[in-house]
Amino acid sequence: MNKEVTIWTKEIINVIRKIQKEFSNNKGLILTEGDLECHLYKHLTESSLFSSLEETKTNGWKSGYVHSQVTWFKPCQNSGFRVDLTVCKPKNIDIKTLEMVENYPNKGFFHDGMAVAIELKYIRDNSPGKISNDAKKDYVKIVKKLKVAKELLIESKKYTNVTIDDIAFIGLIVCKTQEIYDIALEKLKKAMAKNNCPKNVFPIIFCHEKLQVMNKPPLAQHQRLYFKNK
């Protein structure tokens, strides 16, 4: 991953750690997957990295860095992936010139540039089968579908302002209880063993008492200097 997307990823992980601490102190903070999305969106847009509203490619239109339920294209033209939260630069968003993607599913804008996709799962059902399915579902989707589709579209020049090194993926699982967490963690580890975790994919799982980041982005010396000078 490039330096900037690595910094973005670390900041998003730091925000997730803050939410886990709040969840630990206020056990009813997150009761639904919608709650989780709202809390993460709120905290991300309060981060100094993602809080500003900036000009897009469309004259007179400003936008933010964090967006909900964005469609990420599939290589075919008649369907797309709905991603829970997407972090991207406003300057790479085109809100009016959509000719090149008019046959693709979109929500009235086209983004071509560095981005972080965040998939969310809140597990509250104690059924072992449901826990198993939910624990691995988003990880498998990211590794075998979402990431592959993005790379194919970059290679085919559907995107021209981004490389594979400019994209990161975070799969966040939040568990209502530690009992659910223990089962979900085991199932997630098995899914990761079966499908090797790429360097730009970051599975994260937490409950009230515990948090694990399963793949940590590097922080090289020049990146530490970036933080100091920013």
Side-chain angles (χ1 to χ4, degrees):
M1 299 191 309
N2 73 36
K3 178 178 71 173
E4 193 169 12
V5 78
T6 300
I7 291 169
W8 278 20
T9 302
K10 288 186 68 67
E11 177 64 7
I12 294 168
I13 293 172
N14 287 337
V15 166
I16 289 171
R17 291 185 185 277
K18 291 178 183 177
I19 294 173
Q20 190 275 334
K21 288 182 179 179
E22 290 185 8
F23 188 50
S24 178
N25 293 327
N26 304 279
K27 295 189 184 301
L29 183 72
I30 300 169
L31 297 178
T32 68
E33 202 160 281
D35 287 348
L36 174 59
E37 182 175 327
C38 288
H39 282 292
L40 184 52
Y41 179 92
K42 174 180 181 291
H43 281 269
L44 286 175
T45 55
E46 290 174 348
S47 163
S48 60
L49 286 183
F50 311 124
S51 61
S52 60
L53 297 172
E54 299 174 7
E55 295 288 345
T56 67
K57 287 185 176 181
T58 304
N59 186 40
W61 289 67
K62 287 187 176 182
S63 186
Y65 279 74
V66 187
H67 299 277
S68 172
Q69 306 300 318
V70 172
T71 301
W72 285 48
F73 301 148
K74 293 182 180 179
C76 58
Q77 294 189 2
N78 59 359
S79 60
F81 300 104
R82 188 180 66 180
V83 174
D84 291 320
L85 291 175
T86 298
V87 182
C88 61
K89 290 184 177 181
K91 72 177 184 179
N92 294 322
I93 296 175
D94 196 331
I95 301 171
K96 288 189 175 180
T97 310
L98 304 176
E99 288 83 357
M100 67 180 297
V101 295
E102 60 186 358
N103 294 322
Y104 281 71
N106 66 76
K107 296 194 174 180
F109 67 91
F110 175 57
H111 173 265
D112 183 3
M114 188 177 81
V116 180
I118 308 172
E119 289 284 60
L120 305 172
K121 189 66 65 181
Y122 178 66
I123 308 178
R124 59 178 181 267
D125 193 318
N126 288 315
S127 167
K130 185 72 163 60
I131 296 172
S132 176
N133 181 67
D134 286 350
K136 62 188 179 183
K137 184 176 182 180
D138 283 346
Y139 176 76
V140 173
K141 172 186 174 182
I142 289 171
V143 172
K144 300 187 75 172
K145 296 180 180 180
L146 185 59
K147 179 176 179 291
V148 172
K150 189 70 174 183
E151 291 174 353
L152 287 172
L153 288 167
I154 291 172
E155 291 171 3
S156 67
K157 306 300 181 183
K158 173 58 66 176
Y159 296 103
T160 59
N161 189 45
V162 63
T163 71
I164 294 170
D165 290 335
D166 301 327
I167 305 295
F169 305 85
I170 293 175
L172 173 60
I173 301 169
V174 177
C175 303
K176 184 177 181 180
T177 67
Q178 186 172 337
E179 290 76 17
I180 292 174
Y181 172 93
D182 291 338
I183 298 172
L185 179 60
E186 178 186 356
K187 299 301 181 181
L188 176 59
K189 286 180 177 179
K190 287 183 178 179
M192 293 175 66
K194 186 176 180 180
N195 303 278
N196 289 335
C197 189
K199 292 180 179 180
N200 63 340
V201 176
F202 304 92
I204 304 170
I205 181 170
F206 73 70
C207 62
H208 297 114
E209 298 84 3
K210 299 180 179 180
L211 179 147
Q212 283 204 40
V213 179
M214 310 299 288
N215 186 22
K216 296 182 181 180
L219 184 60
Q221 180 64 32
H222 68 281
Q223 291 166 332
R224 286 193 290 270
L225 291 173
Y226 179 92
F227 275 119
K228 183 178 180 181
N229 295 328
K230 188 171 177 60

